[in-house]
mmCIF file of all heavy atoms in Angstrom:
data_model
loop_
_atom_site.group_PDB
_atom_site.id
_atom_site.type_symbol
_atom_site.label_atom_id
_atom_site.label_comp_id
_atom_site.label_asym_id
_atom_site.label_seq_id
_atom_site.Cartn_x
_atom_site.Cartn_y
_atom_site.Cartn_z
ATOM 1 N N SER G 592 41.390 26.086 14.684
ATOM 2 C CA SER G 592 42.274 25.077 14.998
ATOM 3 C C SER G 592 43.780 25.434 14.655
ATOM 4 O O SER G 592 44.737 24.839 15.136
ATOM 5 C CB SER G 592 41.887 23.814 14.261
ATOM 6 O OG SER G 592 42.168 24.004 12.918
ATOM 7 N N GLU G 595 45.957 26.477 17.582
ATOM 8 C CA GLU G 595 46.485 25.445 18.541
ATOM 9 C C GLU G 595 47.828 24.944 17.919
ATOM 10 O O GLU G 595 47.871 23.950 17.213
ATOM 11 C CB GLU G 595 45.430 24.291 18.519
ATOM 12 C CG GLU G 595 45.560 23.407 19.699
ATOM 13 C CD GLU G 595 44.347 22.343 19.778
ATOM 14 O OE1 GLU G 595 43.288 22.704 19.451
ATOM 15 O OE2 GLU G 595 44.728 21.240 20.078
ATOM 16 N N THR G 596 48.838 25.707 18.383
ATOM 17 C CA THR G 596 50.198 25.353 17.890
ATOM 18 C C THR G 596 50.980 24.351 18.692
ATOM 19 O O THR G 596 51.951 23.795 18.163
ATOM 20 C CB THR G 596 50.944 26.600 17.862
ATOM 21 O OG1 THR G 596 51.019 27.098 19.197
ATOM 22 C CG2 THR G 596 50.383 27.699 16.809
ATOM 23 N N GLY G 597 50.583 24.190 19.995
ATOM 24 C CA GLY G 597 51.286 23.204 20.786
ATOM 25 C C GLY G 597 52.462 23.925 21.480
ATOM 26 O O GLY G 597 53.188 23.329 22.318
ATOM 27 N N ARG G 598 52.615 25.336 21.326
ATOM 28 C CA ARG G 598 53.503 26.060 21.969
ATOM 29 C C ARG G 598 52.970 26.529 23.290
ATOM 30 O O ARG G 598 52.188 27.507 23.243
ATOM 31 C CB ARG G 598 54.153 27.180 21.152
ATOM 32 C CG ARG G 598 54.938 26.577 20.029
ATOM 33 C CD ARG G 598 55.521 27.504 19.097
ATOM 34 N NE ARG G 598 56.148 26.738 18.020
ATOM 35 C CZ ARG G 598 56.225 27.235 16.820
ATOM 36 N NH1 ARG G 598 55.796 28.486 16.489
ATOM 37 N NH2 ARG G 598 56.811 26.529 15.903
ATOM 38 N N VAL G 599 53.496 26.030 24.429
ATOM 39 C CA VAL G 599 52.720 26.417 25.717
ATOM 40 C C VAL G 599 52.859 27.925 26.041
ATOM 41 O O VAL G 599 51.971 28.447 26.495
ATOM 42 C CB VAL G 599 53.436 25.582 26.853
ATOM 43 C CG1 VAL G 599 52.725 25.728 28.159
ATOM 44 C CG2 VAL G 599 53.547 24.161 26.419
ATOM 45 N N ARG G 600 54.034 28.467 25.641
ATOM 46 C CA ARG G 600 54.210 29.956 25.940
ATOM 47 C C ARG G 600 53.302 30.772 25.322
ATOM 48 O O ARG G 600 52.870 31.860 25.807
ATOM 49 C CB ARG G 600 55.666 30.303 25.758
ATOM 50 C CG ARG G 600 56.679 29.690 26.876
ATOM 51 C CD ARG G 600 58.075 29.901 26.619
ATOM 52 N NE ARG G 600 58.488 29.426 25.275
ATOM 53 C CZ ARG G 600 59.058 30.268 24.387
ATOM 54 N NH1 ARG G 600 59.376 31.516 24.777
ATOM 55 N NH2 ARG G 600 59.427 29.803 23.226
ATOM 56 N N TRP G 601 52.977 30.441 24.131
ATOM 57 C CA TRP G 601 51.923 31.232 23.236
ATOM 58 C C TRP G 601 50.527 31.083 23.952
ATOM 59 O O TRP G 601 49.945 32.105 24.073
ATOM 60 C CB TRP G 601 51.848 30.661 21.896
ATOM 61 C CG TRP G 601 52.955 31.117 21.027
ATOM 62 C CD1 TRP G 601 54.062 30.456 20.619
ATOM 63 C CD2 TRP G 601 52.958 32.381 20.418
ATOM 64 N NE1 TRP G 601 54.769 31.282 19.800
ATOM 65 C CE2 TRP G 601 54.182 32.472 19.720
ATOM 66 C CE3 TRP G 601 52.195 33.658 20.463
ATOM 67 C CZ2 TRP G 601 54.649 33.564 18.952
ATOM 68 C CZ3 TRP G 601 52.545 34.661 19.718
ATOM 69 C CH2 TRP G 601 53.783 34.613 19.001
ATOM 70 N N TYR G 602 50.288 29.879 24.591
ATOM 71 C CA TYR G 602 49.048 29.816 25.183
ATOM 72 C C TYR G 602 49.039 30.723 26.555
ATOM 73 O O TYR G 602 48.047 31.303 26.717
ATOM 74 C CB TYR G 602 48.873 28.343 25.755
ATOM 75 C CG TYR G 602 48.646 27.300 24.591
ATOM 76 C CD1 TYR G 602 48.757 25.976 24.951
ATOM 77 C CD2 TYR G 602 48.496 27.728 23.358
ATOM 78 C CE1 TYR G 602 48.666 25.072 23.924
ATOM 79 C CE2 TYR G 602 48.296 26.796 22.263
ATOM 80 C CZ TYR G 602 48.399 25.396 22.657
ATOM 81 O OH TYR G 602 48.321 24.563 21.642
ATOM 82 N N ALA G 603 50.140 30.670 27.151
ATOM 83 C CA ALA G 603 50.322 31.608 28.334
ATOM 84 C C ALA G 603 50.124 33.014 27.986
ATOM 85 O O ALA G 603 49.338 33.726 28.639
ATOM 86 C CB ALA G 603 51.540 31.387 29.107
ATOM 87 N N ALA G 604 50.743 33.404 26.842
ATOM 88 C CA ALA G 604 50.622 34.742 26.420
ATOM 89 C C ALA G 604 49.094 35.014 25.970
ATOM 90 O O ALA G 604 48.522 36.148 26.355
ATOM 91 C CB ALA G 604 51.444 35.063 25.159
ATOM 92 N N LEU G 607 47.179 35.600 29.067
ATOM 93 C CA LEU G 607 47.437 36.832 29.603
ATOM 94 C C LEU G 607 46.706 38.005 28.895
ATOM 95 O O LEU G 607 46.026 38.927 29.512
ATOM 96 C CB LEU G 607 48.983 37.176 29.520
ATOM 97 C CG LEU G 607 49.429 38.532 29.959
ATOM 98 C CD1 LEU G 607 49.249 38.829 31.395
ATOM 99 C CD2 LEU G 607 50.835 38.811 29.537
ATOM 100 N N LEU E 12 55.546 36.437 35.387
ATOM 101 C CA LEU E 12 54.806 36.294 34.097
ATOM 102 C C LEU E 12 55.779 36.586 33.004
ATOM 103 O O LEU E 12 55.794 35.683 32.022
ATOM 104 C CB LEU E 12 53.693 37.419 34.094
ATOM 105 C CG LEU E 12 52.613 37.180 33.070
ATOM 106 C CD1 LEU E 12 51.903 35.824 33.416
ATOM 107 C CD2 LEU E 12 51.660 38.267 33.221
ATOM 108 N N LEU E 15 57.838 33.422 32.607
ATOM 109 C CA LEU E 15 56.954 32.402 32.038
ATOM 110 C C LEU E 15 56.913 32.445 30.511
ATOM 111 O O LEU E 15 57.066 31.446 29.845
ATOM 112 C CB LEU E 15 55.633 32.369 32.616
ATOM 113 C CG LEU E 15 54.684 31.316 32.267
ATOM 114 C CD1 LEU E 15 54.984 30.064 32.887
ATOM 115 C CD2 LEU E 15 53.160 31.721 32.513
ATOM 116 N N ILE E 16 56.789 33.733 29.988
ATOM 117 C CA ILE E 16 56.590 33.852 28.559
ATOM 118 C C ILE E 16 57.924 33.777 27.870
ATOM 119 O O ILE E 16 57.972 33.265 26.766
ATOM 120 C CB ILE E 16 55.784 35.097 28.387
ATOM 121 C CG1 ILE E 16 54.346 34.960 28.765
ATOM 122 C CG2 ILE E 16 55.742 35.436 26.889
ATOM 123 C CD1 ILE E 16 53.512 36.171 28.719
ATOM 124 N N ALA E 17 58.944 34.354 28.490
ATOM 125 C CA ALA E 17 60.118 34.553 27.746
ATOM 126 C C ALA E 17 61.140 33.387 27.760
ATOM 127 O O ALA E 17 61.723 33.100 26.823
ATOM 128 C CB ALA E 17 60.832 35.910 28.334
ATOM 129 N N ARG E 18 61.208 32.698 28.904
ATOM 130 C CA ARG E 18 62.157 31.615 29.117
ATOM 131 C C ARG E 18 61.736 30.440 28.302
ATOM 132 O O ARG E 18 60.502 30.057 28.312
ATOM 133 C CB ARG E 18 62.380 31.221 30.529
ATOM 134 C CG ARG E 18 62.820 32.329 31.407
ATOM 135 C CD ARG E 18 64.140 32.838 30.994
ATOM 136 N NE ARG E 18 65.289 32.008 31.115
ATOM 137 C CZ ARG E 18 66.298 32.182 31.802
ATOM 138 N NH1 ARG E 18 66.501 33.269 32.473
ATOM 139 N NH2 ARG E 18 67.319 31.224 31.757
ATOM 140 N N ARG E 19 62.746 29.689 27.793
ATOM 141 C CA ARG E 19 62.408 28.512 27.004
ATOM 142 C C ARG E 19 62.756 27.279 27.886
ATOM 143 O O ARG E 19 62.203 26.256 27.684
ATOM 144 C CB ARG E 19 63.294 28.320 25.711
ATOM 145 C CG ARG E 19 62.905 29.407 24.817
ATOM 146 C CD ARG E 19 63.652 29.328 23.471
ATOM 147 N NE ARG E 19 63.366 28.140 22.775
ATOM 148 C CZ ARG E 19 63.199 28.051 21.488
ATOM 149 N NH1 ARG E 19 63.298 29.141 20.821
ATOM 150 N NH2 ARG E 19 62.777 26.980 20.951
ATOM 151 N N ASP E 85 60.986 23.986 25.814
ATOM 152 C CA ASP E 85 59.432 23.766 25.740
ATOM 153 C C ASP E 85 58.913 23.746 24.478
ATOM 154 O O ASP E 85 57.782 23.453 24.253
ATOM 155 C CB ASP E 85 58.876 24.757 26.801
ATOM 156 C CG ASP E 85 58.724 26.076 26.129
ATOM 157 O OD1 ASP E 85 59.584 26.299 25.193
ATOM 158 O OD2 ASP E 85 57.924 26.942 26.549
ATOM 159 N N GLU E 86 59.664 24.069 23.345
ATOM 160 C CA GLU E 86 59.179 23.867 21.978
ATOM 161 C C GLU E 86 59.221 22.479 21.589
ATOM 162 O O GLU E 86 58.568 22.060 20.627
ATOM 163 C CB GLU E 86 60.041 24.782 21.164
ATOM 164 C CG GLU E 86 60.075 26.196 21.385
ATOM 165 C CD GLU E 86 58.949 27.054 20.911
ATOM 166 O OE1 GLU E 86 58.819 27.066 19.646
ATOM 167 O OE2 GLU E 86 58.038 27.541 21.602
ATOM 168 N N SER E 89 56.049 20.262 20.930
ATOM 169 C CA SER E 89 54.902 21.023 20.300
ATOM 170 C C SER E 89 54.199 20.232 19.233
ATOM 171 O O SER E 89 53.477 20.821 18.535
ATOM 172 C CB SER E 89 55.382 22.404 19.848
ATOM 173 O OG SER E 89 56.247 22.192 18.793
ATOM 174 N N MET E 91 52.318 17.983 19.570
ATOM 175 C CA MET E 91 50.916 17.664 20.053
ATOM 176 C C MET E 91 49.938 18.738 19.792
ATOM 177 O O MET E 91 49.166 19.116 20.547
ATOM 178 C CB MET E 91 50.870 17.337 21.581
ATOM 179 C CG MET E 91 50.942 15.984 21.955
ATOM 180 S SD MET E 91 51.209 15.708 23.659
ATOM 181 C CE MET E 91 49.986 16.656 24.419
ATOM 182 N N ARG E 92 49.868 19.165 18.441
ATOM 183 C CA ARG E 92 48.928 20.227 18.147
ATOM 184 C C ARG E 92 47.696 19.634 17.376
ATOM 185 O O ARG E 92 47.871 18.586 16.742
ATOM 186 C CB ARG E 92 49.583 21.329 17.475
ATOM 187 C CG ARG E 92 50.311 20.979 16.187
ATOM 188 C CD ARG E 92 50.838 22.204 15.491
ATOM 189 N NE ARG E 92 51.718 21.754 14.401
ATOM 190 C CZ ARG E 92 52.911 21.660 14.404
ATOM 191 N NH1 ARG E 92 53.549 22.051 15.514
ATOM 192 N NH2 ARG E 92 53.662 21.188 13.424
ATOM 193 N N GLY E 93 46.662 20.322 17.358
ATOM 194 C CA GLY E 93 45.387 19.875 16.768
ATOM 195 C C GLY E 93 45.371 20.023 15.151
ATOM 196 O O GLY E 93 46.106 20.821 14.650
#
Side-chain angles (χ1 to χ4, degrees):
Chain G
S592 71
E595 198 175 319
T596 53
R598 291 182 183 149
V599 187
R600 288 174 305 124
W601 281 100
Y602 296 169
L607 174 67
Chain E
L12 202 58
L15 182 74
I16 293 173
R18 301 300 295 237
R19 297 181 67 135
D85 73 342
E86 303 271 298
S89 70
M91 253 171 59
R92 57 174 172 262

